[in-house]
Amino acid sequence: MWVQLRCGLEPKTLAALAVVLVAAAVLAVTHFWSARPEGVRAPDVVGGAVHAAGLPTDADTDPDAEGAARPEPSPGPAPAATTGGQMVVDVSGKVRSPGLRRLPSGSRVDDALQAAGGVRPGTDLAGLNRARVLMDGEQIVVGAPPAPVPAAGAPTASGGPAGPVSLNTATADQLEGLPGVGPVLAQHIVDYRTQHGGFRSVDELREVNGIGTRRFADLRPLVRP
């Protein structure tokens, strides 16, 4: 009433002014309440929970922490068991049942001969090492005539060796009797034979250092495993 009489305001104007003042007061109180400072709670200790869940903690990962538990090294995958493994060999020549034979890993030449039904009567096995351990994919030729042993540097009339030279038994001097094979290349053949346990086929001769496609084509009909 005092404001109305003092300022000469109408009742409607005075009511609107009162509403504005009340709204401003409410906004001020709300702003003050939302901006008040609040206390911060300290985080809970999670070490026990981490250990219970099996997760690494700082003590597990810090190499300098005294008494820290060291993670055990992974043993890695278990080695593949060789027992019961199989390999395939080709037995041909003078045996009762030539062909492919599946044998246990670690079998020897004599095992392959037995799997092929045995050697035919009268077959000469002088050049066959029956105690040798077989390799997967190997070919065993039974009863093949042994390579003649020509004198070093004694070529035939055609300029080549007298017969097929065995890559597994020939000496370096005998290998030098092959066309295009000198002392260095002959030694490479001997080294390859020693490192790989012998030649399983003539095609492996291409893997010898110094033998290209053309030289291999010249040597292929003159040699045997």
Side-chain angles (χ1 to χ4, degrees), residues 153-197:
T156 60
S158 60
V165 175
S166 174
L167 297 174
N168 289 326
T169 60
T171 63
D173 292 337
Q174 293 169 0
L175 293 172
E176 290 182 29
L178 296 170
V181 178
V184 176
L185 185 55
Q187 187 60 43
H188 286 172
I189 296 175
V190 173
D191 292 342
Y192 181 91
R193 178 177 67 194
T194 303
Q195 295 172 2
H196 295 80

Side-chain angles (χ1 to χ4, degrees), residues 89-101 112 115-118 120 140:
V89 296
D90 182 11
V91 185
S92 60
K94 297 181 180 180
V95 291
R96 290 188 175 88
S97 300
L100 298 178
R101 293 291 178 269
R120 294 178 182 177
I140 305 171

Side-chain angles (χ1 to χ4, degrees), residues 13-147:
T13 304
L14 184 60
L17 179 61
V19 171
V20 171
L21 292 176
V22 170
V26 171
L27 290 177
V29 172
T30 302
H31 178 74
F32 174 79
W33 183 260
S34 63
R36 78 186 191 282
E38 295 183 0
V40 179
R41 181 183 177 184
D44 296 333
V45 179
V46 297
V50 171
H51 282 292
L55 301 177
T57 61
D58 293 340
D60 297 330
T61 56
D62 187 1
D64 296 330
E66 183 178 0
R70 304 276 190 230
E72 294 293 335
S74 174
T82 57
T83 304
Q86 286 190 338
M87 60 182 175
V88 180
V89 296
D90 182 11
V91 185
S92 60
K94 297 181 180 180
V95 291
R96 290 188 175 88
S97 300
L100 298 178
R101 293 291 178 269
R102 296 183 180 274
L103 300 172
S105 298
S107 298
R108 300 181 183 270
V109 173
D110 186 67
D111 298 326
L113 299 181
Q114 297 299 328
V119 181
R120 294 178 182 177
T123 302
D124 185 13
L125 300 179
L128 189 63
N129 182 7
R130 289 178 290 176
R132 180 171 56 84
V133 178
L134 294 171
M135 301 178 64
D136 185 38
E138 183 176 350
Q139 183 184 31
I140 305 171
V141 181
V142 181

